[in-house]
Amino acid sequence: MDNIEHLFLLTGVLLCLSVLATLVSARSGIPILLIFLLIGMLAGESGPGGIQFESYSLAYTVGNLALAIILLDGGMRTRMDTFRVGLKPALSLATLGVVITSGITGLLAVYILDLGWLQGLLLGAIVGSTDAAAVFSLLGGRGMQLNQRVGASLEIESGTNDPMAIFLTLTLIALITGEMNSMGDALLFLLSQFGVGALAGLAGGWLLVQLIRRVHLASGLYPLLVAGFGLTLFALTAVLEGSGFLAVYLAGLVLGNSRLRNLEAILPVFDGLAWLSQIGLFLVLGLLISPADMWALVLPASLIALAMIFIARPLAVLASLLPFFRFNARELGFISWVGLRGAVPIVLAIFPLMAGIEEGSMLFNVAFFVVLISLLVQGSTLPPVARWLEVEVPPEPAPRRRSMLGIFKEDDFEMFLYQVESQSLDGVVVRQLTFPPHCRVAAVFRGENLLPASGSTRLAINDVLCVIGRSTHLKTLNNMFGGDIEVAREKARAFFGDFILDASARMGDVALMYGVDVPFDEQDLTLGDFMLAGSSGHPVVGDHFIRYGMIWTVADVDGDRILKVGMREHEPS
């Protein structure tokens, strides 16, 4: 068999094993990225695969390429409205938080590994940032519905904290090798990483949107255009000494929130590209590892990993968020726990090797072990920790499928598919339903049959409805058709309470109706104003506090305006 055939065989087998491993992850709860790493290690020269791979430069190239695609995809899937509650705290975590995490971890590494000060701080910088691939994969793939403040802060942090980690890593390498002699050079490099990266990303995203609006291509070519543009933007930004990672994330954010009809062709392809990038990246990084070398550092690397998880990250979160933002203790606890490390630290750990630093090999192995511990300890426990800290909210109803129709270039009509699951809709005639303006049932499917979507059509359980509307109609349609309404109401009552009240109600009226002992000076407050006074910053669904013997919970919001409030009796444990 020729070498090219060997390569194709190995690539195909590893890809198939990695894809099938997602089933193992779903059933066992083991983070899928950890499984990808282990498959790579088993395929390496120390495992049964026996593949000899020692090209750090190739791994560095693959790492940058894969991370660029992952961040571009992550940006396209981040909704702009999450920036309302998550941007400022995420930027604090992405800058000050990374510095504190890196500093504490580095100082501990100096004593645990008996390193010099600069070398220890370099290890801290390498493992100092959370990883976008890990955060996007684990938060998005576990079926968790976090409150918007927590989820948005974590996603935006993971997409924007790479420039600080790269700055710290390259600056420390330059100090160790003698290539940088002044703090002025370091400050200029920091400003260029963030400033050039942000400007290039926003400008590049705008240009990409304009380009897609003006060119007419086959639908399958738009994802290739976006991928090519994203890699070009990444490279040009890096040439200008900005952060290519930040640039592609922001460009994806601008594109994903543009409401272009061509997104219907772009997003599904990028979903596959992002998965392929994660698989390829973690397989290649797994191939680099020599288990024999890594096991020699098990004890000190484990101590560093656990110190980072239980000391450095929590202290960094407290220092970055507590003085500036109104996060409660449960939210701070969960954000501290989701300090997931992944591909970025391993890619950064290649930098010292390529720079010829004497301790480079040890730093690489320690960084790899820190990633393994982080994915295993933190990644595998996210759902129970989220439930324990009460940062989950009931999942919102959603259509089984949605797709743009491609009629208008912007603000296009969409097709929403719903299955009738609620008994309250069984036997209801279509004309009895109240739809938003310019929103209609286009088709009704029953079994294998297509029924006429006339006003006299009577719905039945398990019917599939094809509804035409716009994204602005989605909330109303979800409340009408999104799953079993009775079950959803039961879940809502369990979370929000038996009474879900309009936020415009006066506290005095609430006190009279439900027997709550509200002080006189608060009786003229609306329920919404009462909740705002006790909420943590921008209100989000799930915000709650205990007062006057009741648990008050935000049940619905529109921007910063609270619409509904749940109320249930507090039972002291």
Side-chain angles (χ1 to χ4, degrees):
M1 194 180 284
D2 295 335
N3 288 336
I4 188 67
E5 292 170 335
H6 276 291
L7 178 62
F8 285 179
L9 177 62
L10 289 172
T11 302
V13 169
L14 289 176
L15 182 59
C16 289
L17 287 175
S18 299
V19 171
L20 294 175
T22 59
L23 300 176
V24 177
S25 174
R27 294 175 181 174
S28 65
I30 301 173
I32 185 60
L33 301 185
L34 179 59
I35 295 178
F36 293 160
L37 275 175
L38 293 177
I39 291 175
M41 293 173 66
L42 291 173
E45 60 179 323
S46 299
I51 300 175
Q52 294 187 352
F53 182 79
E54 298 179 352
S55 177
Y56 290 101
S57 60
L58 178 58
Y60 172 77
T61 302
V62 171
N64 280 274
L65 174 64
L67 288 171
I69 294 296
I70 291 167
L71 284 166
L72 183 57
D73 177 71
M76 286 191 286
R77 298 177 193 280
T78 302
R79 300 276 60 82
M80 195 70 78
D81 60 358
T82 65
F83 275 53
R84 175 181 63 88
V85 296
L87 178 60
K88 292 180 180 178
L91 291 181
S92 183
L93 288 170
T95 51
L96 179 60
V98 172
V99 172
I100 295 173
T101 302
S102 301
I104 295 174
T105 306
L107 293 176
L108 292 170
V110 169
Y111 293 100
I112 294 173
L113 293 170
D114 193 24
L115 293 172
W117 288 103
L118 289 178
Q119 286 79 3
L121 291 173
L122 175 58
L123 176 61
I126 288 170
V127 300
S129 68
T130 60
D131 183 69
V135 172
F136 292 153
S137 173
L138 290 172
L139 291 185
R142 291 299 185 86
M144 292 186 296
Q145 183 78 23
L146 301 177
N147 86 45
Q148 192 181 41
R149 183 184 303 107
V150 172
S153 298
L154 289 169
E155 287 190 10
I156 298 171
E157 176 205 7
S158 69
T160 57
N161 65 5
D162 294 333
M164 179 58 77
I166 293 171
F167 159 73
L168 292 173
T169 300
L170 293 180
T171 299
L172 287 163
I173 288 175
L175 290 173
I176 292 172
T177 59
E179 296 178 4
M180 184 179 291
N181 301 311
S182 69
M183 290 304 296
D185 292 339
L187 181 60
L188 182 62
F189 180 58
L190 172 64
L191 293 176
S192 69
Q193 281 282 296
F194 278 94
V196 174
L199 289 174
L202 295 174
W206 182 83
L207 285 173
L208 181 57
V209 170
Q210 302 309 310
L211 178 62
I212 293 176
R213 281 175 177 164
R214 285 165 172 75
V215 299
H216 300 282
L217 303 171
S219 60
L221 294 177
Y222 284 104
L224 299 182
L225 175 64
V226 173
F229 189 96
L231 295 178
T232 301
L233 178 65
F234 180 90
L236 290 178
T237 305
V239 168
L240 297 173
E241 298 189 354
S243 170
F245 296 119
L246 180 60
V248 293
Y249 176 75
L250 292 177
L253 179 73
V254 173
L255 175 61
N257 287 273
S258 64
R259 293 289 301 157
L260 294 175
R261 65 183 179 187
N262 306 104
L263 286 174
E264 183 68 22
I266 295 170
L267 289 174
V269 174
F270 260 84
D271 186 40
L273 287 177
W275 273 110
L276 181 61
S277 298
Q278 291 184 57
I279 291 171
L281 172 57
F282 281 86
L283 287 179
V284 167
L285 295 177
L287 286 172
L288 276 178
I289 283 297
S290 171
D293 295 338
M294 192 175 67
W295 286 122
L297 295 165
V298 165
L299 181 58
S302 297
L303 290 175
I304 291 171
L306 294 175
M308 184 193 69
I309 293 171
F310 292 103
I311 299 174
R313 171 69 177 183
L315 290 177
V317 169
L318 290 175
S320 303
L321 299 183
L322 196 57
F324 314 112
F325 308 102
R326 297 175 62 185
F327 283 82
N328 59 46
R330 296 184 307 275
E331 294 169 338
L332 291 171
F334 188 74
I335 291 172
S336 298
W337 191 247
V338 191
L340 291 164
R341 269 58 189 175
V344 171
I346 303 177
V347 173
L348 291 181
I350 297 175
F351 288 20
L353 288 165
M354 298 177 67
I357 292 178
E358 183 178 352
E359 299 86 357
S361 180
M362 181 192 66
L363 295 177
F364 180 85
N365 286 309
V366 172
F368 193 95
F369 206 90
V370 168
V371 170
L372 286 179
I373 295 291
S374 176
L375 289 175
L376 186 61
V377 174
Q378 295 169 291
S380 61
T381 57
L382 290 186
V385 171
R387 289 191 292 270
W388 177 55
L389 293 175
E390 299 179 356
V391 295
E392 273 194 298
V393 297
E396 296 182 356
R400 295 175 59 187
R401 182 182 173 188
R402 59 183 293 190
S403 59
M404 294 183 182
L405 297 182
I407 298 172
F408 302 107
K409 289 185 177 180
E410 294 184 65
D411 195 24
D412 193 16
F413 277 92
E414 295 187 53
M415 176 191 70
F416 305 103
L417 289 185
Y418 293 96
Q419 185 167 15
V420 177
E421 299 178 21
S422 176
Q423 293 292 336
S424 62
L425 293 174
D426 190 18
V428 172
V429 176
V430 170
R431 71 165 63 95
Q432 295 175 334
L433 299 172
T434 303
F435 287 93
H438 310 294
C439 182
R440 297 287 185 273
V441 174
V444 178
F445 297 91
R446 183 170 299 161
E448 301 294 325
N449 300 315
L450 171 62
L451 305 182
S454 64
S456 60
T457 300
R458 192 175 297 274
L459 301 181
I461 295 294
N462 294 326
D463 281 356
V464 175
L465 307 182
C466 174
V467 183
I468 304 299
R470 285 194 164 101
S471 60
T472 51
H473 304 145
L474 191 56
K475 188 172 184 178
T476 301
L477 294 175
N478 287 342
N479 289 332
M480 293 171 63
F481 304 116
D484 191 326
I485 296 174
E486 286 73 22
V487 172
R489 286 174 179 168
E490 192 62 36
K491 290 181 179 179
R493 278 195 294 268
F495 184 85
F496 298 112
D498 290 329
F499 309 107
I500 299 180
L501 311 176
D502 195 289
S504 61
R506 288 179 63 255
M507 286 297 293
D509 297 333
V510 173
L512 287 174
M513 185 170 295
Y514 298 101
V516 183
D517 188 15
V518 177
F520 180 78
D521 60 345
E522 290 187 354
Q523 292 193 5
D524 285 333
L525 288 176
T526 66
L527 190 50
D529 290 336
F530 170 71
M531 294 300 298
L532 283 173
S535 67
S536 302
H538 297 281
V540 297
V541 173
D543 278 348
H544 63 280
F545 54 84
I546 301 169
R547 197 165 298 171
Y548 314 134
M550 308 295 290
I551 301 176
W552 310 81
T553 307
V554 176
D556 194 13
V557 297
D558 180 14
D560 282 342
R561 188 164 64 95
I562 298 175
L563 302 179
K564 300 285 184 182
V565 176
M567 185 179 71
R568 71 181 188 272
E569 187 175 354
H570 173 56
E571 299 177 0
S573 55

